[in-house]
Every structure is written in C-alpha cells, then in structure tokens.
C-alpha cells in the first residue's frame, strides 16, 4: 500500500483519504512566489507530519479492529437468532411431550385401578376353584370335645388308626373345623368333624 494513502471500506462505503503528510509535502515544494521556509519551520512541519502519520496509522488500526469486532457482532447476532429459533422449537417439543406424559400418567392411573380389580377377581376365582376341587370329608360320630385344642393333630393321629392305612408322607389338611357350634345344653350328641 503506498504511503500516505488509506484505502478501505467503512460500512460498505469506499473511502479514500489523503494523509496529512502528503498535504505537507505538497506544501514543501514552494512556488516561485513564496519565500523559502526557514529551516526551523521545515523541521517543525516534518515532526508534526510524522506525528500525524503515526496518529492516522493508529486510527486506521483501531478502525480495522472495530470493523473486525463489528463482523464478529454480526455473526454473534445471527447465531443468537438461530439459537432463539432452536429454543422455541425445543419449547414446543417439550410442551407436546408434557401433554403426552400427562396422558400416559392418566392411563397408568386407570391401569393401576384395573390391576387392583383384576387382582381381587383373580383371588376370588382362585378361591372358587379351590372350593370346587376340594375333597371334603365329613366324619360323623365323634364324641363331643374329643379333638381337644388342636383338631389337625387329632385327625393326623386318628385317621391312620381308623382306616388301618399308613400315610407316607403324613396327611395334610387344608382346613379342619367342627360343623355346627358346640352345644351349650350339655346333651351328648355326636360331633361332626
């Protein structure tokens, strides 16, 4: 780049400037009418021109840095806009997911109620099936209170003796109870087991 001229673009507009030193050089060539300048005046003008040149160069350097910063700001602004659009898209997706989660939670709550009802119905069905499969045995003619406190032990002892069969493994009972209440009147009716 030739010294003394600055060529560049500021915000898209071309600009050409003459530096102060060129203006001084043009003034240094005296015309025939002007008296020759004194040596002291030329030295002061040269020093002033050099200072102005440095100042203008520093201004130009600052201008280039500002232009670079401006370009960076434009890029950051564009990126920020892009991020805003992305965030808006994410927000709409999250809103849709919230609605779907609410729907699923409602369904799960209804399924939990259904599971409780289903579990209750299964228990009832199992009880009914067990009752229909039971081999109920009614034993008649035992004297009242002969079984004592533990009816299971009494039945495990007495049935092999009555039937003259050895059970291996020993008999297992699901339930054992007296049919009808114990009589309060003291009569000696037989007990049904």
């Amino acid at each position: 780049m030739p010294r003394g001229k600055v060529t560049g673009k500021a915000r898209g507009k071309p600009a050409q400037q003459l530096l102060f030193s060129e203006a001084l050089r043009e003034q240094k060539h005296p015309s025939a009418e002007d008296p020759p300048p004194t040596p002291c005046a030329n030295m002061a003008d040269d020093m002033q021109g050099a200072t102005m040149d440095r100042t203008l160069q520093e201004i130009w350097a600052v201008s280039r840095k500002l232009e670079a910063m401006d370009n960076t700001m434009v890029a950051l602004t564009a990126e920020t806009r892009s991020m805003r659009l992305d965030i808006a898209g994410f927000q709409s997706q999250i809103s849709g997911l919230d609605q779907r989660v609410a729907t699923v939670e409602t369904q799960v709550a209804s399924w939990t109620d259904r599971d409780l009802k289903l579990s209750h119905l299964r228990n009832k069905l199992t009880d009914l099936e067990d009752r229909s499969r039971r081999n109920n045995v009614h034993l008649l003619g035992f004297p009242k209170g002969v079984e004592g406190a533990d009816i299971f032990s009494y039945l495990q002892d007495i049935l092999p003796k009555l039937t003259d069969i050895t059970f291996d493994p020993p008999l297992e009972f699901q339930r054992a109870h007296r049919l009808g209440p114990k009589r309060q009147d003291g009569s000696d009716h037989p007990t049904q087991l």
Side-chain angles (χ1 to χ4, degrees):
M1 179 186 285
R3 185 164 185 208
K5 287 190 179 180
V6 177
T7 306
K9 291 186 177 186
R11 299 204 186 246
K13 298 178 183 175
Q16 236 178 6
Q17 298 177 345
L18 270 177
L19 291 179
F20 188 79
S21 61
E22 284 186 9
L24 286 178
R25 282 190 202 132
E26 289 175 7
Q27 289 179 358
K28 287 184 182 176
H29 299 292
S31 61
E33 304 162 0
D34 291 335
T38 60
C40 241
N42 282 341
M43 189 190 278
D45 287 344
D46 284 343
M47 286 176 58
Q48 188 178 12
T51 303
M52 290 299 279
D53 280 345
R54 273 185 298 211
T55 304
L56 287 173
Q57 286 175 354
E58 288 175 8
I59 289 172
W60 175 247
V62 168
S63 172
R64 280 187 286 175
K65 287 181 182 177
L66 287 174
E67 187 176 335
M69 288 173 67
D70 187 38
N71 291 338
T72 303
M73 287 300 292
V74 168
L76 285 173
T77 303
E79 190 172 337
T80 303
R81 285 184 188 142
S82 172
M83 289 175 139
R84 283 183 189 164
L85 291 174
D86 289 345
I87 289 171
F90 292 147
Q91 286 175 337
S92 66
Q93 287 178 354
I94 288 171
S95 174
L97 289 174
D98 282 344
Q99 290 174 354
R100 291 174 64 187
V101 165
T103 304
V104 168
E105 286 175 343
T106 304
Q107 289 177 349
V108 166
S110 70
W111 292 343
T112 304
D113 291 342
R114 288 180 192 164
D115 285 346
L116 289 173
K117 289 176 184 176
L118 183 62
S119 175
H120 180 68
L121 291 173
R122 280 185 182 153
N123 290 338
K124 276 185 157 183
L125 179 64
T126 302
D127 186 50
L128 290 173
E129 286 176 346
D130 283 349
R131 285 180 190 268
S132 68
R133 287 187 203 143
R134 276 189 207 135
N135 295 322
N136 293 328
V137 177
H138 295 273
L139 303 173
L140 301 173
F142 288 97
K144 182 177 174 184
V146 74
E147 74 276 3
D150 187 8
I151 196 168
F152 288 111
S153 298
Y154 177 74
L155 290 174
Q156 284 176 342
D157 288 340
I158 197 70
L159 284 178
K161 291 177 186 172
L162 291 174
T163 59
D164 201 21
I165 300 173
T166 306
F167 297 99
D168 189 28
L171 288 174
E172 289 184 21
F173 300 99
Q174 288 180 346
R175 293 185 184 138
H177 55 274
R178 177 186 337 279
L179 294 180
K182 286 186 179 181
R183 300 195 181 241
Q184 301 282 334
D185 60 0
S187 62
D188 199 14
H189 291 287
T191 304
Q192 185 177 358
L193 298 176

